[in-house]
Amino acid sequence: MDVFEMKFSKVFPLLIAKAVRKGRTEEEVFAVTEWLTGYSEEELRAMLGSDSATYGEFLEKAPCMNPERFLVKGKICGVRVEEIEEPRMRDLRILDKLVDDLAKGKAIDKILMKS
């Protein structure tokens, strides 16, 4: 199954679990997701409570994708995020990278590019 067709309510909890296993918080995952997409925490929680939104729709209907997301660099799953050409896949991998950085212990201010 294509990741974009998977239910948001099934995929997003996996990102949360990844960060929490490494000592980070659900709130931090929400913070990086809000920074990337423009969704509010309430909107994200509503999508988590619904079984209708797909992961693709989550990305496509994001209120305001952060233009600074293109400054996110590095590898996720062996692929450099800045080299991914397909926009939805790049945005998906950017979110993966943000959560991965959380899980690796990077400071939230550095992840959100607030020095």
Side-chain angles (χ1 to χ4, degrees), residues 9 44-51:
S9 62
L44 290 170
R45 290 196 184 279
M47 279 193 285
L48 278 172
S50 165
D51 202 34

Side-chain angles (χ1 to χ4, degrees), residues 68-85:
E68 291 186 10
R69 72 189 184 279
F70 299 115
L71 300 175
V72 175
K73 308 281 185 217
K75 286 186 177 182
I76 189 74
C77 300
V79 177
R80 298 202 67 75
V81 295
E82 62 271 23
E83 294 175 0
I84 299 171
E85 292 185 23

Side-chain angles (χ1 to χ4, degrees), residues 28-83:
E28 289 173 310
V29 176
F30 276 95
V32 298
T33 306
E34 291 168 33
W35 176 88
L36 176 64
T37 64
Y39 284 111
S40 68
E41 181 175 344
E42 295 77 26
E43 290 169 317
L44 290 170
R45 290 196 184 279
M47 279 193 285
L48 278 172
S50 165
D51 202 34
S52 62
T54 66
Y55 209 51
E57 291 169 339
F58 156 72
L59 292 169
E60 290 164 9
K61 295 180 179 180
C64 183
M65 292 301 284
N66 192 325
E68 291 186 10
R69 72 189 184 279
F70 299 115
L71 300 175
V72 175
K73 308 281 185 217
K75 286 186 177 182
I76 189 74
C77 300
V79 177
R80 298 202 67 75
V81 295
E82 62 271 23
E83 294 175 0

Side-chain angles (χ1 to χ4, degrees), residues 95-106:
L95 180 56
D96 287 345
K97 177 69 175 142
L98 296 173
V99 173
D100 196 51
D101 285 349
L102 268 179
K104 289 180 178 177
K106 192 171 181 181

